[in-house]
Amino acid sequence: MKWKALGTAIAALLLSALAFSQTAAQYLDIEVVQVKPEKRADFDAITKKMVAANRQNGGDNWLAMETVYGQGNRITFVSTRNSYAETEKASDVFYSALEKAYGKAGVDKIFQEFSQCVVNTRSELRRRRWDLSSNPPADAEAEAKLVGSTRWLRTVAVHVKPGQSDALEGVLKDMKAARERTSPPITTLVSQSVAGQDGTIYYVTTLENSMAGFDSIPPMQKALGEEGYAKFVKVSGDAVEHADTAINRFVPELSNAPEPVVAAAPDYWNPKPIVAAKAKPKSGEMVPAADKGKADDKSK
């Protein structure tokens, strides 16, 4: 999902399984939007229009996440790409789906309304680092099932000092080995900044179907052991500028998830719209004469 017509873009994490290969490059095409608090309802309504247009007209796929612990009113849209060329193609497909639904004038209006709802936007491209990820899914079907059953994501963004990437990757490989020895094994997905950020950043994401799942993850000191943890602390001090942790949750109503992801949990990824029930008049409350007449007719 790309709003380049706005002269903006958006950023932050995760996947939508399209094709899968741990030997080939896989990119996360990410857009992060900082929404004006007073415009959140309008923002959601506009995004739902984009979802509907892309779903009905064979447009782009993406997953939407909302930051729950971290910067408030932040929405992140994530799509998986298999090449740089695919990012451009997906952008064209996205716009084409909107134009089929609303026409060019209608799309321009949607973008204008969208821009009035946000403080700023940022786009990012990240490369999936399967070699640093622990217990990654074995194939496209497993990836779709993992993502489709996920509700919460905890991501640590590690900002690395210049020239220290190799040192940090050594520690990440130690962490990978430790997590794969844990019973049950822990899955973490690692990606690395490619474009849209200053410096080098590694993103380590843990996926769970509930917040309670994070309670079962052993502390790093226990997972690495005394010697491994001492190395972790030293390298972190030498190689890391700072690290930020955020917890996000998926927002299915703002997502246009790929079919394999939807198949893992159809009721979750295709939520039914909530229809407000018409309130019944309270006892003693005045009823319009027209309505009262209808009620009297029914009672006969």
Side-chain angles (χ1 to χ4, degrees), residues 144-161:
K145 185 176 181 181
L146 171 66
V147 177
S149 61
T150 294
R151 304 293 177 266
W152 296 87
L153 308 96
R154 185 177 68 183
T155 298
V156 181
V158 184
H159 301 248
V160 184
K161 295 177 181 177

PDB file of all heavy atoms in Angstrom, residues 144-161:
ATOM      1  N   ALA A 144       2.156 -18.404   6.215  1.00  0.00           N
ATOM      2  CA  ALA A 144       0.796 -17.863   6.231  1.00  0.00           C
ATOM      3  C   ALA A 144       0.056 -18.266   7.504  1.00  0.00           C
ATOM      4  O   ALA A 144      -0.669 -17.462   8.100  1.00  0.00           O
ATOM      5  CB  ALA A 144       0.036 -18.350   5.002  1.00  0.00           C
ATOM      6  N   LYS A 145       0.254 -19.512   7.937  1.00  0.00           N
ATOM      7  CA  LYS A 145      -0.406 -19.990   9.159  1.00  0.00           C
ATOM      8  C   LYS A 145       0.120 -19.245  10.386  1.00  0.00           C
ATOM      9  O   LYS A 145      -0.653 -18.876  11.277  1.00  0.00           O
ATOM     10  CB  LYS A 145      -0.178 -21.494   9.313  1.00  0.00           C
ATOM     11  CG  LYS A 145      -0.917 -22.096  10.487  1.00  0.00           C
ATOM     12  CD  LYS A 145      -0.743 -23.611  10.537  1.00  0.00           C
ATOM     13  CE  LYS A 145      -1.499 -24.216  11.707  1.00  0.00           C
ATOM     14  NZ  LYS A 145      -1.325 -25.691  11.771  1.00  0.00           N
ATOM     15  N   LEU A 146       1.447 -19.009  10.412  1.00  0.00           N
ATOM     16  CA  LEU A 146       2.043 -18.282  11.532  1.00  0.00           C
ATOM     17  C   LEU A 146       1.476 -16.872  11.627  1.00  0.00           C
ATOM     18  O   LEU A 146       1.046 -16.423  12.694  1.00  0.00           O
ATOM     19  CB  LEU A 146       3.561 -18.226  11.354  1.00  0.00           C
ATOM     20  CG  LEU A 146       4.331 -17.317  12.332  1.00  0.00           C
ATOM     21  CD1 LEU A 146       4.237 -17.868  13.753  1.00  0.00           C
ATOM     22  CD2 LEU A 146       5.796 -17.194  11.900  1.00  0.00           C
ATOM     23  N   VAL A 147       1.465 -16.170  10.496  1.00  0.00           N
ATOM     24  CA  VAL A 147       0.973 -14.799  10.486  1.00  0.00           C
ATOM     25  C   VAL A 147      -0.527 -14.749  10.748  1.00  0.00           C
ATOM     26  O   VAL A 147      -1.016 -13.923  11.522  1.00  0.00           O
ATOM     27  CB  VAL A 147       1.294 -14.120   9.141  1.00  0.00           C
ATOM     28  CG1 VAL A 147       0.714 -12.713   9.092  1.00  0.00           C
ATOM     29  CG2 VAL A 147       2.800 -14.049   8.929  1.00  0.00           C
ATOM     30  N   GLY A 148      -1.258 -15.671  10.125  1.00  0.00           N
ATOM     31  CA  GLY A 148      -2.704 -15.662  10.284  1.00  0.00           C
ATOM     32  C   GLY A 148      -3.160 -15.916  11.704  1.00  0.00           C
ATOM     33  O   GLY A 148      -4.211 -15.421  12.123  1.00  0.00           O
ATOM     34  N   SER A 149      -2.382 -16.660  12.475  1.00  0.00           N
ATOM     35  CA  SER A 149      -2.750 -16.960  13.860  1.00  0.00           C
ATOM     36  C   SER A 149      -2.164 -15.959  14.853  1.00  0.00           C
ATOM     37  O   SER A 149      -2.435 -16.044  16.049  1.00  0.00           O
ATOM     38  CB  SER A 149      -2.281 -18.376  14.233  1.00  0.00           C
ATOM     39  OG  SER A 149      -0.861 -18.480  14.134  1.00  0.00           O
ATOM     40  N   THR A 150      -1.385 -14.997  14.361  1.00  0.00           N
ATOM     41  CA  THR A 150      -0.779 -13.990  15.238  1.00  0.00           C
ATOM     42  C   THR A 150      -1.754 -12.851  15.522  1.00  0.00           C
ATOM     43  O   THR A 150      -2.492 -12.423  14.636  1.00  0.00           O
ATOM     44  CB  THR A 150       0.501 -13.414  14.596  1.00  0.00           C
ATOM     45  OG1 THR A 150       1.487 -14.445  14.517  1.00  0.00           O
ATOM     46  CG2 THR A 150       1.064 -12.255  15.419  1.00  0.00           C
ATOM     47  N   ARG A 151      -1.743 -12.385  16.758  1.00  0.00           N
ATOM     48  CA  ARG A 151      -2.547 -11.226  17.130  1.00  0.00           C
ATOM     49  C   ARG A 151      -1.672 -10.087  17.654  1.00  0.00           C
ATOM     50  O   ARG A 151      -2.007  -8.917  17.494  1.00  0.00           O
ATOM     51  CB  ARG A 151      -3.582 -11.619  18.204  1.00  0.00           C
ATOM     52  CG  ARG A 151      -4.497 -12.765  17.811  1.00  0.00           C
ATOM     53  CD  ARG A 151      -5.427 -12.389  16.678  1.00  0.00           C
ATOM     54  NE  ARG A 151      -6.256 -13.522  16.254  1.00  0.00           N
ATOM     55  CZ  ARG A 151      -5.946 -14.333  15.269  1.00  0.00           C
ATOM     56  NH1 ARG A 151      -4.831 -14.147  14.574  1.00  0.00           N
ATOM     57  NH2 ARG A 151      -6.732 -15.328  14.932  1.00  0.00           N
ATOM     58  N   TRP A 152      -0.551 -10.441  18.297  1.00  0.00           N
ATOM     59  CA  TRP A 152       0.319  -9.454  18.941  1.00  0.00           C
ATOM     60  C   TRP A 152       1.754  -9.651  18.467  1.00  0.00           C
ATOM     61  O   TRP A 152       2.197 -10.777  18.243  1.00  0.00           O
ATOM     62  CB  TRP A 152       0.274  -9.608  20.464  1.00  0.00           C
ATOM     63  CG  TRP A 152      -1.070  -9.320  21.046  1.00  0.00           C
ATOM     64  CD1 TRP A 152      -2.105 -10.189  21.193  1.00  0.00           C
ATOM     65  CD2 TRP A 152      -1.535  -8.070  21.549  1.00  0.00           C
ATOM     66  NE1 TRP A 152      -3.184  -9.565  21.757  1.00  0.00           N
ATOM     67  CE2 TRP A 152      -2.864  -8.261  21.991  1.00  0.00           C
ATOM     68  CE3 TRP A 152      -0.943  -6.809  21.679  1.00  0.00           C
ATOM     69  CZ2 TRP A 152      -3.619  -7.225  22.543  1.00  0.00           C
ATOM     70  CZ3 TRP A 152      -1.702  -5.775  22.239  1.00  0.00           C
ATOM     71  CH2 TRP A 152      -3.017  -5.991  22.667  1.00  0.00           C
ATOM     72  N   LEU A 153       2.467  -8.537  18.319  1.00  0.00           N
ATOM     73  CA  LEU A 153       3.862  -8.574  17.872  1.00  0.00           C
ATOM     74  C   LEU A 153       4.704  -7.656  18.763  1.00  0.00           C
ATOM     75  O   LEU A 153       4.363  -6.483  18.950  1.00  0.00           O
ATOM     76  CB  LEU A 153       3.982  -8.099  16.419  1.00  0.00           C
ATOM     77  CG  LEU A 153       3.065  -8.798  15.412  1.00  0.00           C
ATOM     78  CD1 LEU A 153       1.805  -7.963  15.192  1.00  0.00           C
ATOM     79  CD2 LEU A 153       3.773  -8.991  14.102  1.00  0.00           C
ATOM     80  N   ARG A 154       5.767  -8.222  19.291  1.00  0.00           N
ATOM     81  CA  ARG A 154       6.715  -7.410  20.077  1.00  0.00           C
ATOM     82  C   ARG A 154       7.996  -7.280  19.262  1.00  0.00           C
ATOM     83  O   ARG A 154       8.624  -8.272  18.905  1.00  0.00           O
ATOM     84  CB  ARG A 154       7.014  -8.074  21.426  1.00  0.00           C
ATOM     85  CG  ARG A 154       7.891  -7.196  22.327  1.00  0.00           C
ATOM     86  CD  ARG A 154       8.109  -7.841  23.675  1.00  0.00           C
ATOM     87  NE  ARG A 154       8.931  -9.042  23.574  1.00  0.00           N
ATOM     88  CZ  ARG A 154       9.217  -9.833  24.603  1.00  0.00           C
ATOM     89  NH1 ARG A 154       8.712  -9.573  25.799  1.00  0.00           N
ATOM     90  NH2 ARG A 154       9.976 -10.897  24.444  1.00  0.00           N
ATOM     91  N   THR A 155       8.366  -6.037  18.974  1.00  0.00           N
ATOM     92  CA  THR A 155       9.523  -5.785  18.118  1.00  0.00           C
ATOM     93  C   THR A 155      10.552  -4.933  18.838  1.00  0.00           C
ATOM     94  O   THR A 155      10.219  -3.871  19.386  1.00  0.00           O
ATOM     95  CB  THR A 155       9.104  -5.072  16.817  1.00  0.00           C
ATOM     96  OG1 THR A 155       8.221  -5.920  16.097  1.00  0.00           O
ATOM     97  CG2 THR A 155      10.316  -4.765  15.953  1.00  0.00           C
ATOM     98  N   VAL A 156      11.787  -5.410  18.828  1.00  0.00           N
ATOM     99  CA  VAL A 156      12.916  -4.643  19.356  1.00  0.00           C
ATOM    100  C   VAL A 156      13.686  -4.102  18.153  1.00  0.00           C
ATOM    101  O   VAL A 156      14.165  -4.871  17.318  1.00  0.00           O
ATOM    102  CB  VAL A 156      13.835  -5.515  20.228  1.00  0.00           C
ATOM    103  CG1 VAL A 156      14.987  -4.669  20.777  1.00  0.00           C
ATOM    104  CG2 VAL A 156      13.048  -6.165  21.363  1.00  0.00           C
ATOM    105  N   ALA A 157      13.771  -2.781  18.055  1.00  0.00           N
ATOM    106  CA  ALA A 157      14.535  -2.133  16.987  1.00  0.00           C
ATOM    107  C   ALA A 157      15.910  -1.776  17.540  1.00  0.00           C
ATOM    108  O   ALA A 157      16.033  -0.947  18.442  1.00  0.00           O
ATOM    109  CB  ALA A 157      13.813  -0.872  16.505  1.00  0.00           C
ATOM    110  N   VAL A 158      16.939  -2.429  17.022  1.00  0.00           N
ATOM    111  CA  VAL A 158      18.306  -2.262  17.525  1.00  0.00           C
ATOM    112  C   VAL A 158      19.083  -1.354  16.564  1.00  0.00           C
ATOM    113  O   VAL A 158      19.359  -1.728  15.421  1.00  0.00           O
ATOM    114  CB  VAL A 158      19.021  -3.614  17.665  1.00  0.00           C
ATOM    115  CG1 VAL A 158      20.401  -3.424  18.282  1.00  0.00           C
ATOM    116  CG2 VAL A 158      18.181  -4.588  18.495  1.00  0.00           C
ATOM    117  N   HIS A 159      19.438  -0.166  17.034  1.00  0.00           N
ATOM    118  CA  HIS A 159      20.186   0.807  16.235  1.00  0.00           C
ATOM    119  C   HIS A 159      21.685   0.570  16.465  1.00  0.00           C
ATOM    120  O   HIS A 159      22.170   0.696  17.599  1.00  0.00           O
ATOM    121  CB  HIS A 159      19.807   2.231  16.636  1.00  0.00           C
ATOM    122  CG  HIS A 159      18.341   2.529  16.458  1.00  0.00           C
ATOM    123  ND1 HIS A 159      17.871   3.411  15.502  1.00  0.00           N
ATOM    124  CD2 HIS A 159      17.243   2.065  17.115  1.00  0.00           C
ATOM    125  CE1 HIS A 159      16.556   3.477  15.578  1.00  0.00           C
ATOM    126  NE2 HIS A 159      16.147   2.666  16.550  1.00  0.00           N
ATOM    127  N   VAL A 160      22.394   0.225  15.393  1.00  0.00           N
ATOM    128  CA  VAL A 160      23.788  -0.196  15.502  1.00  0.00           C
ATOM    129  C   VAL A 160      24.741   0.960  15.198  1.00  0.00           C
ATOM    130  O   VAL A 160      24.498   1.768  14.296  1.00  0.00           O
ATOM    131  CB  VAL A 160      24.066  -1.360  14.530  1.00  0.00           C
ATOM    132  CG1 VAL A 160      25.483  -1.887  14.701  1.00  0.00           C
ATOM    133  CG2 VAL A 160      23.060  -2.484  14.754  1.00  0.00           C
ATOM    134  N   LYS A 161      25.829   0.999  15.947  1.00  0.00           N
ATOM    135  CA  LYS A 161      26.863   2.003  15.694  1.00  0.00           C
ATOM    136  C   LYS A 161      27.565   1.697  14.369  1.00  0.00           C
ATOM    137  O   LYS A 161      27.640   0.528  13.959  1.00  0.00           O
ATOM    138  CB  LYS A 161      27.886   2.009  16.831  1.00  0.00           C
ATOM    139  CG  LYS A 161      27.323   2.445  18.179  1.00  0.00           C
ATOM    140  CD  LYS A 161      28.384   2.348  19.268  1.00  0.00           C
ATOM    141  CE  LYS A 161      27.828   2.745  20.620  1.00  0.00           C
ATOM    142  NZ  LYS A 161      28.829   2.593  21.712  1.00  0.00           N
TER     143      LYS A 161
END
